[in-house]
Amino acid sequence: MTDSTISQSRRAFLKRTATASGFTLGLALLPATRGQAMFANAPSAESFAPSVFIEFAEDGNVIITCHRSEMGQQVRTSIPQIIMEELGADWQHVTINQATGDAKYGDQNTDGSRSVRRNFQRLREAGATAALMLCTAAAKGWKVDPYECVTDNHFVVHKPSGRKVAFADLISVAATLPLPKPTDLKLKSRDNWTQIGKAVPSVDLTAMTTGTAVYGQDIVMDNMCYAVIQRPPVLFSKVKSSNQAEIKKMPGVIDVIDMPAASAPALFNPLGGIAVLASNTWLAWQACNALKTEWESSENAAYNSEEYQQALLDEAAKPGEVMRKLGDFDKATSEAAKVIDASYYAPHLAQAPMEPPAATAVVTADSAEIWACVQSPQTTRQQVAGALKMPLENVTINVTLLGGGFGRKAKPDFAVEAALLAKAVGRPVKVVWRREDDIKHGYYHSVSGQRLSATIDDNSKITGWYHKTVFPPIASTFNPAANKPTDGELDLGHMDTPFDVPNLQLERGEAKAHVRIGWMRSVANVYHAFAKESFVAEVADQLKVDHRDFLLSLIGPDRHIDFAASNAKYGNYGDDLNDYPVDTARLKKVITEVTDMADWDNREQQGRFLGLAAHRSFLSYSAAVIEVKLNSRGEWTIPKAYIAIDAGTVVNPDHVKAQCEGGLIYGISCAIGQITALNGEITQSNFHNYLVARMPQTPVSIDVEIIQSEALPGGVGEPPTPPAAPALANALYAATGQRFRNLPIPLNIKTA
Amino acid sequence: MKVTINEQEFDYQGDPSMPLLWFIRDELKMTGTKYSCGMALCGACTVHLDGEPTRSCQLPMAAIGDKAVTTIEGLSSDGSHPVQQAWREHNVPQCGYCQSGQMMQAASLVDKKQPVSDEDIENHMAGNICRCGTYPRIRAAVKSAAEAVAIKVIK
């Protein structure tokens, strides 16, 4: 079709279909100014916006709004991909808009590996709604049944006749139609999917490879000051005195401002301290370094990691509160031919995203606007509105790209800091967290002590399994009295122990928090999987049986774990156990798959040292095999790793593959890093003493297998992480005979 | 003092001890070069100084002299440097924050127009941290980029 025939048919078509004369779409073009394009959000009153996620410009171009935060999981591609499945638009004519924090989108909190699974159905319906309206508009013109029409590549096609019309020619009519009812929608069947399941390249790939992608640290505004904050070295200690009058006279310093002192509960409040505002980051930083502050004492100054580790392990060794029980473990112990027992310790960790937190605020007498790398823009909005005592509607939260999040950026204390400072100085303020601030003043992954015990009868059969877990809970950040693992945390790899044993006892113990505890990628699954999967390998070793075979037999027959049988409640990541059962067949499948990939059975004759671990988390199943090699200096490397995941229905296989690679590597970092405290002050400060995996500690290559599944979508961002640390520890045991029960694992292992 | 960045000359009158990173980011408002550690520990701020990879967070303005600075914005005018192309081909970035530094570090290896081994890549890239764990893809992309350059040289 030539251009002129298109325009002729367009005129003819419009003539036939126009109902309201002069109805135009006044959608403002997205401003080209850098940074603004992704924030332009206000839908024009006249545009065709069949849902909060989809808007058509007059020229037929589509703006798809992504309401979840992009932090590397490619959600800005996968969310549109789900919508595109039903919408039938052409990617060439699609722009992705980033939502502000607004309840109209539903939950926006980008954590818990739930962006896809919690939005899968509603986003398909959003796409189908728009498509049906376009089909209805076309059908009016053609005087046919709308259900005989489909959307394809930015056209509506009448299937029986083959006639087609461009989306652009339908906008004005579609905009006048009533929204169809959900029951009117006919979603595509799985075998007709062309978007879901396809490796669509990331929409931000060009920006990210040319340095034009905009993160929280990158916001630039006219008349902006740069703020760096000296925060209390010990949680909740307050400023006694400082030389801030002197600091105020330093070159480039605009102001020095006392932050409101913090007290328990920590919540998402700023930590207090003294803020230095200057004309650039460097000057603010220098002036902040020159601050000489005396701090009052705080009860948290008693926190010493070495003593605390011992106290956790002592607590883990005592009988605790029983949370799930099957049979009689004590009886199994007294009748056992053999009892195997081990304790495990895992230290605090910092999420340490490559981009330290940053937020920019503009605050007027009655409004506030924030630009920040936040995982939870609605929470940020509430926190900022609360801190400024402003109605929620007057606060706008613009979400930049996140240079990694891993849970840290779900806590918007840094955005509140920016808001308070912008209000105090009456001009835009960007708060820049230095790496030292990020490491020393975090919401830490919890420190844990665990004890496991297995009872064995005369036939080498496992008769009982015991697992006690002790760690200061995340709840302590919200309620200082909280000193026991909460149900929500126990549900992450403890309560859902999938083993087929007649006597099972799962317990918790008490531990008081002395730092802010927060969630980090995979949360309690990280240390629970480390202890559980290390212990399985230890028991197999003592019984002189193959680890994989033992693990499969311990999991036992194909079944759905029956929590009611052991009088236990299981939260299941907020989803129904009928939709997402704890399915042992799926867990075993990833184990057999990954060990086949790794040629597990031939490892000994090939002289390869392999470690295995498997874990269900966030409704998905993953298993990893890590191969290690030691050089003459005792340094280990990982020539190869293998991971199999069953995440149910998968939207973008390449992104799932990338999450498996990256999630496994994040888990290796969890095995080598540690955050410790001395007299309440965090010892580590930057990447020289807070170790994270660099290229030499990571697999040269990773084979990823995504199990083909038609099950409901599970989580993807977190499940690859938990098996990494135990798989590494198990591989190092195979290579050296040394068992690492206390993390971190050293990079250099002295062999006897 | 005068500094040349991406073939453009700039005049700088401020504190000579200020690291180049902050001149690029805060004064020139070119934000492709990232801050992450400030101690030359992670490589996110990597730029080229006469073609050599350099951590701009630890390079005082006074130390630049007449050496030419290249940032990610100057690596190519249109994202066509073989490293940038390879990064897209392998879908390397996850969050993307460290990738300007990774690409600048990688480009200095690839630009030498020599074949690179796995060991060369690991040695050359060991100073650049990626918390998303894109290392396996970085390895593959550097290899592709080096091959692409080598093929061009042969032609």
Side-chain angles (χ1 to χ4, degrees):
Chain A
M1 208 187 268
T2 64
D3 282 354
S4 70
T5 57
I6 287 173
S7 67
Q8 267 176 26
S9 69
R10 175 182 172 156
R11 274 195 302 274
F13 190 89
L14 282 177
K15 210 169 159 188
R16 286 200 302 273
T17 55
T19 49
S21 63
F23 185 91
T24 55
L25 289 156
L27 182 77
L29 288 171
L30 289 171
T33 320
R34 190 205 63 171
Q36 281 182 308
M38 62 184 286
F39 308 124
N41 193 51
S44 141
E46 297 156 334
S47 59
F48 171 40
S51 90
V52 291
F53 301 108
I54 305 166
E55 195 179 346
F56 286 88
E58 187 182 18
D59 60 5
N61 283 329
V62 183
I63 298 154
I64 293 181
T65 294
C66 176
H67 65 304
R68 315 289 283 196
S69 299
E70 179 61 72
M71 46 192 181
Q73 78 284 43
Q74 313 309 330
V75 77
R76 280 166 52 84
T77 306
S78 57
I79 288 236
Q81 221 176 318
I82 300 168
I83 291 173
M84 289 286 279
E85 183 62 69
E86 298 292 335
L87 184 58
D90 175 1
W91 281 99
Q92 298 296 318
H93 301 294
V94 175
T95 309
I96 311 303
N97 172 53
Q98 189 67 35
T100 59
D102 195 321
K104 72 181 178 183
Y105 297 109
D107 181 34
Q108 291 180 269
N109 191 5
T110 313
D111 73 356
S113 296
R114 58 195 171 189
S115 289
V116 165
R117 71 176 202 262
R118 291 283 173 81
N119 289 285
F120 191 70
Q121 184 67 18
R122 63 194 287 251
L123 293 176
R124 287 166 69 208
E125 285 175 3
T129 299
L132 180 57
M133 291 172 82
L134 292 163
C135 287
T136 304
K140 275 185 155 206
W142 289 324
K143 296 192 178 15
V144 298
D145 177 358
Y147 290 101
E148 289 178 356
C149 302
V150 293
T151 52
D152 181 35
N153 210 28
H154 243 77
F155 286 87
V156 171
V157 181
H158 181 234
K159 279 195 294 185
S161 67
R163 278 178 293 181
K164 57 197 261 182
V165 57
F167 281 5
D169 298 335
L170 297 165
I171 304 306
S172 56
V173 178
T176 65
L177 298 174
L179 278 177
K181 294 193 289 288
T183 48
D184 295 337
L185 304 176
K186 287 181 182 157
L187 298 183
K188 281 189 192 173
S189 63
R190 182 180 289 263
D191 51 348
N192 288 322
W193 285 350
T194 57
Q195 293 293 324
I196 298 168
K198 189 176 164 190
V200 173
S202 305
V203 297
D204 295 310
L205 202 47
T206 300
M208 285 180 181
T209 52
T210 53
T212 54
V214 179
Y215 299 83
Q217 290 267 356
D218 297 337
I219 297 298
V220 177
M221 284 190 183
D222 290 341
N223 199 32
M224 179 173 93
C225 7
Y226 297 77
V228 173
I229 301 175
Q230 186 187 58
R231 296 175 186 81
V234 177
L235 182 65
F236 302 140
S237 63
K238 295 172 175 55
V239 176
K240 196 192 259 178
S241 67
S242 88
N243 61 339
Q244 48 181 279
E246 261 171 66
I247 300 301
K248 217 167 167 172
K249 291 179 212 146
M250 285 179 69
V253 172
I254 293 162
D255 210 342
V256 180
I257 296 173
D258 287 316
M259 300 297 291
S263 57
L267 307 172
F268 298 135
N269 295 332
L271 280 171
I274 301 168
V276 179
L277 286 71
S279 54
N280 72 32
T281 312
W282 172 247
L283 291 166
W285 188 326
Q286 294 305 101
C288 193
N289 285 348
L291 266 173
K292 291 192 185 73
T293 307
E294 242 193 291
W295 303 90
E296 285 175 8
S297 191
S298 138
E299 62 161 327
N300 295 313
Y303 189 38
N304 287 301
S305 289
E306 221 168 291
E307 294 158 23
Y308 195 84
Q309 172 173 356
Q310 196 50 54
L312 276 182
L313 290 171
D314 289 349
E315 169 72 8
K318 292 189 292 195
E321 183 184 350
V322 178
M323 304 306 290
R324 185 177 159 209
K325 185 180 165 85
L326 199 67
D328 187 341
F329 181 79
D330 291 339
K331 192 159 167 271
T333 307
S334 60
E335 291 171 358
K338 184 174 181 164
V339 178
I340 300 172
D341 204 274
S343 294
Y344 299 86
Y345 170 79
H348 285 296
L349 296 169
Q351 298 86 352
M354 286 311 286
E355 177 196 33
T360 303
V362 175
V363 177
T364 66
D366 58 0
S367 75
E369 187 158 11
I370 308 284
W371 289 259
C373 45
V374 287
Q375 287 175 243
S376 181
Q378 291 170 1
T379 312
T380 308
R381 195 182 192 196
Q382 286 156 6
Q383 295 298 310
V384 169
L388 297 176
K389 299 181 176 58
M390 219 176 246
L392 201 63
E393 306 73 57
N394 297 16
V395 176
T396 305
I397 308 296
N398 302 287
V399 182
T400 63
L401 291 172
L402 280 59
F406 313 119
R408 172 60 186 95
K409 291 169 183 172
K411 296 97 176 173
D413 54 337
F414 54 101
V416 179
E417 289 175 339
L420 292 173
L421 291 172
K423 185 184 176 185
V425 290
R427 53 193 271 198
V429 172
K430 173 160 75 172
V431 169
V432 172
W433 280 52
R434 296 163 295 182
R435 176 60 57 199
E436 290 79 2
D437 303 319
D438 177 55
I439 301 292
K440 284 191 170 295
H441 304 291
Y443 283 88
Y444 301 101
H445 176 66
S446 205
V447 55
S448 62
Q450 298 171 73
R451 191 170 73 87
L452 284 98
S453 185
T455 58
I456 294 135
D457 69 11
D458 290 328
N459 302 317
S460 292
K461 203 177 159 359
I462 303 293
T463 53
W465 189 269
Y466 171 92
H467 184 174
K468 180 175 177 188
T469 183
V470 185
F471 54 90
I474 292 168
S476 62
T477 294
F478 305 94
N479 168 17
N483 66 350
K484 285 176 196 162
T486 56
D487 290 345
E489 289 161 311
L490 294 171
D491 286 348
L492 312 183
H494 180 252
M495 287 292 274
D496 49 343
T497 298
F499 300 148
D500 180 36
V501 287
N503 304 292
L504 176 75
Q505 192 154 316
L506 305 176
E507 297 180 357
R508 69 173 173 182
E510 291 184 6
K512 186 172 162 47
H514 295 284
V515 293
R516 300 192 294 183
I517 307 289
W519 46 100
M520 188 194 78
R521 190 178 199 170
S522 306
V523 203
N525 285 296
V526 180
Y527 39 85
H528 286 149
F530 170 66
K532 169 175 69 79
E533 295 297 297
S534 294
F535 189 63
V536 169
E538 290 205 48
V539 174
D541 185 59
Q542 290 216 21
L543 296 178
K544 300 191 172 29
V545 291
D546 179 83
H547 176 193
R548 180 210 42 208
D549 296 346
F550 176 68
L551 176 56
L552 291 172
S553 70
L554 191 58
I555 296 166
D558 293 359
R559 69 197 184 284
H560 295 170
I561 300 293
D562 181 2
F563 290 94
S566 50
N567 288 319
K569 283 184 302 183
Y570 182 61
N572 205 34
Y573 301 87
D575 280 282
D576 195 323
L577 275 165
N578 294 314
D579 294 335
Y580 292 96
V582 180
D583 186 335
T584 58
R586 292 175 73 186
L587 183 59
K588 287 188 293 179
K589 172 79 177 159
V590 290
I591 294 165
T592 50
E593 189 70 34
V594 81
T595 46
D596 286 353
M597 286 158 70
D599 200 10
W600 175 264
D601 287 331
N602 294 314
R603 67 194 188 282
E604 277 163 22
Q605 70 196 67
Q606 292 163 348
R608 295 154 71 227
F609 302 114
L610 305 185
L612 164 69
H615 195 70
R616 176 192 190 261
S617 66
F618 304 92
L619 313 172
S620 292
Y621 304 79
S622 68
V625 168
I626 285 178
E627 178 178 347
V628 296
K629 225 170 148 173
L630 264 84
N631 66 18
S632 55
R633 294 187 300 276
E635 293 157 351
W636 51 266
T637 55
I638 305 176
K640 187 92 194 178
Y642 310 82
I643 180 165
I645 188 167
D646 178 352
T649 297
V650 155
V651 172
N652 190 314
D654 191 52
H655 298 164
V656 174
K657 186 169 179 282
Q659 287 303 301
C660 285
E661 296 160 358
L664 192 76
I665 288 171
Y666 200 86
I668 292 168
S669 290
C670 293
I672 64 172
Q674 67 171 333
I675 292 289
T676 57
L678 187 64
N679 300 325
E681 195 172 334
I682 300 301
T683 310
Q684 294 73 22
S685 57
N686 207 319
F687 291 127
H688 62 294
N689 52 13
Y690 182 61
L691 295 190
V692 298
R694 293 170 182 271
M695 195 180 271
Q697 289 91 45
T698 60
V700 175
S701 68
I702 303 179
D703 284 357
V704 178
E705 180 67 27
I706 302 167
I707 306 290
Q708 294 300 312
S709 169
E710 297 196 356
L712 291 170
V716 165
E718 294 169 275
T721 296
L728 176 61
N730 293 341
L732 289 170
Y733 178 78
T736 68
Q738 286 188 60
R739 171 57 61 183
F740 293 96
R741 293 188 184 133
N742 295 346
L743 294 178
I745 294 171
L747 301 186
N748 191 316
I749 295 170
K750 286 176 197 73
T751 42
Chain B
M1 68 183 80
K2 301 249 186 287
V3 285
T4 307
I5 300 175
N6 299 336
E7 297 177 343
Q8 222 186 313
E9 198 176 89
F10 298 95
D11 193 35
Y12 176 67
Q13 301 294 343
D15 180 357
S17 69
M18 182 170 85
L20 169 65
L21 173 66
W22 303 112
F23 180 67
I24 296 170
R25 286 183 57 81
D26 290 354
E27 308 295 322
L28 302 184
K29 320 234 184 277
M30 291 198 309
T31 56
T33 306
K34 302 302 185 196
Y35 162 69
S36 181
C37 77
M39 286 177 70
L41 296 167
C42 79
C45 67
T46 303
V47 298
H48 290 178
L49 202 60
D50 275 355
E52 288 302 312
T54 306
R55 309 300 192 223
S56 65
C57 74
Q58 285 288 303
L59 182 71
M61 291 299 287
I64 300 168
D66 55 7
K67 292 196 168 126
V69 175
T70 309
T71 72
I72 184 70
E73 290 89 349
L75 186 62
S76 68
S77 59
D78 54 357
S80 63
H81 187 282
V83 159
Q84 292 170 302
Q85 291 188 40
W87 247 243
R88 290 193 290 272
E89 183 194 321
H90 291 270
N91 217 356
V92 172
Q94 289 187 26
C95 86
Y97 192 80
C98 73
Q99 300 297 348
S100 295
Q102 301 276 4
M103 286 184 287
M104 294 307 285
Q105 184 70 22
S108 66
L109 181 66
V110 166
D111 288 345
K112 292 195 168 73
K113 301 181 176 146
Q114 287 163 359
V116 297
S117 67
D118 289 339
E119 205 185 343
D120 292 336
I121 294 171
E122 192 165 298
N123 290 337
H124 191 78
M125 301 303 294
N128 287 67
I129 296 175
C130 170
R131 286 290 277 157
C132 296
T134 62
Y135 301 122
R137 292 186 188 223
I138 290 174
R139 289 177 198 259
V142 176
K143 219 164 193 182
S144 288
E147 277 165 18
V149 169
I151 289 165
K152 244 187 190 164
V153 172
I154 294 163
K155 278 177 186 167

